[in-house]
Amino acid sequence: MKNMEKLRMCVLGLCSFFLFSCGSDDDPGISGLQNDYLDVAGGEFVAGELPVGDNDLMLQSATFDGSALPGGSSFLVLQSTEELSEVNLTVQGQTGYIRVPLSNPEIVSAKVRSASLYEYQVLVMISQHLDGDFTIEFTTVNKNGEVSSKVTRNVSYVEAGTGSLQVNLRFSNAKDVDLYVVEPNGNVIYYGMPFPYYSENYQAYMGWEYADTDEEPEWDPIGLDVDSNAGCNIDNINSENIFFDEACLQKGTYEVWVNMYSNCDPSTPTGYAVLANYKGSMISNSLGENPVTGEFPVNEPDNPIDEELTGARKVMEFTINEGRDPGRSRISEGLPVMWEKGVLNRLMKH
């Protein structure tokens, strides 16, 4: 819990005045690096070349998520034998870099020796404009001002929808963690019912349309379009994504929940981060922070639930004051669950 608490504290307090925006190509306040690739709450964009030193021993390990999707987030984890003051990161081929202060490290045991290591976790927010693979480059600076050699990590692009409203869940390792969004009318969007209630896709798949034809409607993703590691069939994307087009947005309060459906490796804890964007900017919450971070501890039990949310964690609540008026919900109509666990992944692959 300590490491995720440090990450949470790094994000809290900063987000109250920090507005992460996708920006636009003609927005003079947003660099190309931030507009097209990534940013960090509390980080400072610096024009110029990434600082690179020759200290090859400063970092014992450095990990960054191997995949990223637009509007999501990724974990950067650094382990060092000495205390660090900052990390500088950029994307290969981009101008400038982001300087991020580091503090309050977790003290962890080294795997290959008895000495302890300083561990830092940084939550990197991915731009909604991301449209391809990239290579992240970063260096660290210690308390004496020495700069490490450059570290590079290749990151694979994962296609995902952004829409007018996007809610993304990122988790730190390969487990089946689920994301739920409850619409203002009470309809629950999750793996068993991935569509917003008012979407044409939902009506088509439920047979409200096309009832007089044998043709199956064409798949056009909306709602839950990324459902990672379903049933511990590991894809290592480690993310779930729900998005709404403007036409199916309801006015009112939305709830966001997360749940450990299946703990594929109980011996390790699992950190998570949830990020919500509305019309290109982080939305202000009435409950929870944005982004919000947390952790499922070692031996977190499986919780194979459907839409009832029993035992799930409510992590976020926010209100949207524009859109269509809430009406009936799928639950109030008594309609059955559409899909079993993992069906969405199979449909997306075809």
Side-chain angles (χ1 to χ4, degrees), residues 207-215:
W208 296 355
E209 300 175 3
Y210 308 96
D212 57 349
T213 178
D214 294 331
E215 294 183 12

Side-chain angles (χ1 to χ4, degrees), residues 24-285:
S24 61
D25 294 337
D26 57 358
D27 184 349
I30 301 294
S31 69
L33 172 64
Q34 296 162 300
N35 185 72
D36 298 330
Y37 291 96
L38 52 84
D39 208 342
V40 180
E44 173 192 8
F45 176 77
V46 180
E49 297 294 326
L50 178 76
V52 178
D54 56 5
N55 189 330
D56 296 327
L57 302 177
M58 188 180 303
L59 285 176
Q60 293 297 301
S61 69
T63 61
F64 189 77
D65 292 328
S67 62
L69 55 79
S73 60
S74 290
F75 294 102
L76 173 63
V77 182
L78 308 168
Q79 289 187 341
S80 174
T81 56
E82 54 189 313
E83 287 194 73
L84 305 177
S85 61
E86 63 188 51
V87 59
N88 304 301
L89 62 157
T90 188
V91 168
Q92 194 174 85
Q94 293 299 298
T95 301
Y97 62 95
I98 299 169
R99 177 191 294 139
V100 183
L102 298 175
S103 60
N104 301 320
E106 172 77 1
I107 308 300
V108 299
S109 298
K111 294 182 178 179
V112 296
R113 60 185 69 176
S114 58
S116 296
L117 297 175
Y118 297 94
E119 181 175 284
Y120 301 83
Q121 296 198 44
V122 179
L123 183 64
V124 178
M125 294 180 290
I126 307 299
S127 169
Q128 287 187 309
H129 291 167
L130 183 72
D131 61 2
D133 300 346
F134 64 94
T135 299
I136 189 173
E137 302 178 332
F138 53 90
T139 60
T140 55
V141 181
N142 65 16
K143 295 292 186 178
N144 296 323
E146 298 173 318
V147 182
S148 73
S149 53
K150 183 170 64 177
V151 180
T152 63
R153 294 289 185 268
N154 296 325
V155 183
S156 299
Y157 168 76
V158 177
E159 184 176 1
T162 55
S164 294
L165 172 64
Q166 179 187 12
V167 182
N168 179 265
L169 164 67
R170 187 72 176 188
F171 34 104
S172 62
N173 44 33
K175 299 184 182 182
D176 185 2
V177 185
D178 283 337
L179 174 67
Y180 294 76
V181 173
V182 183
E183 296 181 273
N185 67 350
N187 188 56
V188 183
I189 302 175
Y190 74 110
Y191 70 85
M193 189 58 64
F195 301 135
Y197 182 76
Y198 282 111
S199 72
E200 293 180 359
N201 312 82
Y202 174 85
Q203 296 182 37
Y205 274 95
M206 288 306 295
W208 296 355
E209 300 175 3
Y210 308 96
D212 57 349
T213 178
D214 294 331
E215 294 183 12
E216 184 175 341
E218 182 179 353
W219 171 255
D220 182 17
I222 192 171
L224 178 67
D225 64 334
V226 177
D227 178 19
S228 182
N229 304 328
C232 292
N233 293 311
I234 304 301
D235 56 30
N236 288 310
I237 294 174
N238 301 343
S239 188
E240 300 226 341
N241 191 69
I242 293 174
F243 75 102
F244 301 76
D245 284 340
E246 188 171 6
C248 62
L249 270 177
Q250 301 175 30
K251 289 187 292 188
T253 299
Y254 290 75
E255 300 176 3
V256 181
W257 298 68
V258 298
N259 176 60
M260 179 64 78
Y261 185 96
S262 184
N263 193 342
C264 310
D265 180 6
S267 68
T268 61
T270 302
Y272 63 82
V274 178
L275 176 63
N277 283 302
Y278 179 58
K279 294 187 174 179
S281 298
M282 288 200 306
I283 197 167
S284 297
N285 293 353

